[in-house]
């Protein structure tokens, strides 16, 4: 087959296919519940919550009211569902107010009413609601520490839900006796829906003792007030066996698996074989980048374990143990590590990006890398090893003009990684 003339355009097309497969306008309709006798109230949280709310309004045949919260800059105008904005990834006062609005929206409902929860990644930070005598400052501190810890998202959310009045199924409990149907776009490896956004409407079996073990395991120096609250047993999250959840239901709307399959099918239409390593890869981003680079190099040199041309796809959520003071996110960190190990392999091109459109704290979703990345950085007197050690992948790819900035996508099925080998 002829070579892909523009590898970056090809890889971006795969990203677009992955995002489109998780577009609420496409996928929400098949998951809608039946209409209730009484009211329909929508509550939503996450970086794609506004798009989910708009899609719901378009597809719901009946009256509806409600409120959803999303990240600053991600709001869309809805006709009947109010959309609020708050801070991500570190909570703020607007998030606190948004949590109060969501809790108020589901109070005083009846068994004839229906609550539809539109949940996707990012909801944990967007819904601060400190329990007991804890404060917003405590939640902010917990989030900052967790984000820098290198702990997987499952561990983060297991801890977050123990110190909240809204997470861990508590929002659904407030809606009782109304039935709650949660429509979830999963950004969690393995698609445990109770972990998405720390499960405001879905309970799981994670206990405060689990949280304590995780705090010890990852050596998290959390505020004293948080440790006291969890240790004294006040923060036990609700269990799925709670009678208030008996009539509730959770439905998976979109996930990394379906998005990666869509990207693979798009690649094959261009005559490039596609392989999916996994939709649930976790671990330190730089180490995962090294493993992917080793596989790519093996394909280049020995045509194994896959024959070229091929595009290697993977998803999931890596983590970064922050040791430096640079800029960047896990996808940039993955790519910079990969670039160091594919240096000189001219036939390798890669894109790694977050499907919600934001990687870390800047405005890029990720970046592009290839066999010339390291050489071009050195030409600009930028040392890739030092940049990586300083967690400064954003500066590396910004210097090269290789950042990938698609803007908000309206969905979130976590990391997307594609490595083209020609």
């Amino acid at each position: 087959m002829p070579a892909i003339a523009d590898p970056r355009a090809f890889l971006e097309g795969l990203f677009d296919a992955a995002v489109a497969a998780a577009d609420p306008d496409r996928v929400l309709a098949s998951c809608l519940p039946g209409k209730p006798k009484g009211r329909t109230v929508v509550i939503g949280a996450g970086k794609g919550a506004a798009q989910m709310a708009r899609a719901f309004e378009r597809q719901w045949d009946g009256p509806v009211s409600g409120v959803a919260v999303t990240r600053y800059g991600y709001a869309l105008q809805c006709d009947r569902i109010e959309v609020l904005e708050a801070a991500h990834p570190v909570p703020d006062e607007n998030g606190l107010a948004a949590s109060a609005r969501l809790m108020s929206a589901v109070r005083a409902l009846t068994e004839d009413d229906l609550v539809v929860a539109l949940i996707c990644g990012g909801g944990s930070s967007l819904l601060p609601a400190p329990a007991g005598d804890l404060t917003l400052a405590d939640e902010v501190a917990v989030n900052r520490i967790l984000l820098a810890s290198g702990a997987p998202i499952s561990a983060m959310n297991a801890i977050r839900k123990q110190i909240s009045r809204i997470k861990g199924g508590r929002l659904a409990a407030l809606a009782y006796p109304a039935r709650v149907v949660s429509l979830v776009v999963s950004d969690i490896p393995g698609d445990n829906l109770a972990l998405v956004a720390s499960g405001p409407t879905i309970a799981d079996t994670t206990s405060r003792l689990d949280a304590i073990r995780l705090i010890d395991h990852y050596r998290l120096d959390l505020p004293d007030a948080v440790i006291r609250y969890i240790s004294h047993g006040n923060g036990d999250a609700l269990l799925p066996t709670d009678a208030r959840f008996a009539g509730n239901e959770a439905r998976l709307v979109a996930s990394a698996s379906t998005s990666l399959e869509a990207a693979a099918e798009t690649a094959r239409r261009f005559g490039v074989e596609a392989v999916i390593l996994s939709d649930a890869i976790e671990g330190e981003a730089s180490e995962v980048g090294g493993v992917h680079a080793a596989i790519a190099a093996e394909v280049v040199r020995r045509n194994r374990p896959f024959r070229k041309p091929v595009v290697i796809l993977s998803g999931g959520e890596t983590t970064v143990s922050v040791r430096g003071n640079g800029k960047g996110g896990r996808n940039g960190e993955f790519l910079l590590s990969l670039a160091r190990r594919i240096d000189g392999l001219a036939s390798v091109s890669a894109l790694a990006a977050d499907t919600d459109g934001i990687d870390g704290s800047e405005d890029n979703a990720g970046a592009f890398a290839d066999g010339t990345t390291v050489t071009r950085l050195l030409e600009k007197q930028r040392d890739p090893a030092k940049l990586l050690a300083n967690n400064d992948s954003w500066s590396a790819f910004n210097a090269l003009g290789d950042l990938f900035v698609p803007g908000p996508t309206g969905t979130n099925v976590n990391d997307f990684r594609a490595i083209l080998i020609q």
Side-chain angles (χ1 to χ4, degrees), residues 216-275:
D216 291 341
H217 178 77
Y218 291 101
R219 300 178 181 177
L220 303 175
D221 187 18
L222 300 183
D224 290 342
V226 171
I227 298 299
R228 284 197 303 272
Y229 185 82
I230 297 176
S231 299
H232 290 167
N234 299 317
D236 263 324
L238 304 176
L239 295 175
T241 52
D242 191 301
R244 289 171 290 183
F245 302 140
N248 295 352
E249 187 178 353
R251 302 178 182 181
L252 178 64
V253 172
S255 69
S257 177
T258 53
S259 287
L260 290 174
E261 290 289 355
E265 181 57 34
T266 299
R268 293 176 187 127
R269 288 202 296 270
F270 282 88
V272 179
E273 183 50 51
V275 294

Side-chain angles (χ1 to χ4, degrees), residues 326-347:
K327 297 179 180 180
R330 57 183 182 265
N331 288 289
E333 185 111 345
F334 164 90
L335 268 184
L336 189 54
S337 175
L338 179 137
R340 294 182 63 211
R341 292 166 173 83
I342 62 168
D343 183 31
L345 299 181
S347 61

Side-chain angles (χ1 to χ4, degrees), residues 78-163:
C78 293
D79 294 329
R80 293 166 287 171
I81 301 169
E82 183 180 8
V83 177
L84 307 175
E85 290 184 318
H88 179 280
V90 177
D92 70 354
E93 292 283 351
N94 284 339
L96 201 63
S99 293
R101 292 291 302 279
L102 264 66
M103 290 189 285
S104 177
V106 300
R107 287 192 171 100
L109 298 179
T110 74
E111 61 185 10
D112 290 332
D113 298 325
L114 171 68
V115 174
V116 179
L118 306 175
I119 305 298
C120 57
S124 286
S125 300
L126 294 167
L127 292 179
D133 59 356
L134 299 179
T135 66
L136 177 61
D138 291 323
E139 279 213 51
V140 168
V142 168
N143 266 38
R144 290 190 186 279
I145 292 165
L146 288 174
L147 290 169
S149 70
I153 190 64
S154 56
M156 292 188 195
N157 288 352
I159 294 167
R160 286 165 168 162
K161 66 177 58 179
Q162 301 301 327
I163 59 169

Side-chain angles (χ1 to χ4, degrees), residues 37 114 118 130 139 168 188 194 227 267 280 293 322 331 374 379 390:
K37 294 179 181 179
L114 171 68
L118 306 175
E139 279 213 51
I188 297 292
I227 298 299
V322 178
N331 288 289
V374 167
E379 288 173 350
N390 195 37

Side-chain angles (χ1 to χ4, degrees), residues 176-352:
Y176 182 81
R179 180 172 179 247
V180 179
V181 176
S182 300
L183 306 182
V184 184
V185 174
S186 173
D187 67 334
I188 297 292
D191 295 332
N192 181 345
L193 303 189
L195 295 181
V196 180
S198 298
T201 55
I202 307 171
D204 74 356
T205 57
T206 305
S207 70
R208 67 181 182 87
L209 297 179
D210 294 319
I212 291 169
R213 283 193 290 268
L214 290 167
I215 291 166
D216 291 341
H217 178 77
Y218 291 101
R219 300 178 181 177
L220 303 175
D221 187 18
L222 300 183
D224 290 342
V226 171
I227 298 299
R228 284 197 303 272
Y229 185 82
I230 297 176
S231 299
H232 290 167
N234 299 317
D236 263 324
L238 304 176
L239 295 175
T241 52
D242 191 301
R244 289 171 290 183
F245 302 140
N248 295 352
E249 187 178 353
R251 302 178 182 181
L252 178 64
V253 172
S255 69
S257 177
T258 53
S259 287
L260 290 174
E261 290 289 355
E265 181 57 34
T266 299
R268 293 176 187 127
R269 288 202 296 270
F270 282 88
V272 179
E273 183 50 51
V275 294
I276 299 172
L277 294 184
S278 171
D279 65 4
I281 292 177
E282 297 181 276
E284 196 70 28
S286 60
E287 295 174 3
V288 174
V291 172
H292 280 64
I295 295 171
E298 190 75 4
V299 173
V300 170
R301 294 166 180 148
R302 297 185 177 87
N303 255 342
R304 68 183 189 193
F306 318 114
R307 294 188 63 82
K308 54 184 181 285
V310 66
V311 61
I312 299 171
L313 302 171
S314 69
E317 182 170 5
T318 60
T319 52
V320 176
S321 297
V322 178
R323 298 179 176 88
N325 59 5
K327 297 179 180 180
R330 57 183 182 265
N331 288 289
E333 185 111 345
F334 164 90
L335 268 184
L336 189 54
S337 175
L338 179 137
R340 294 182 63 211
R341 292 166 173 83
I342 62 168
D343 183 31
L345 299 181
S347 61
V348 181
S349 303
L351 167 64

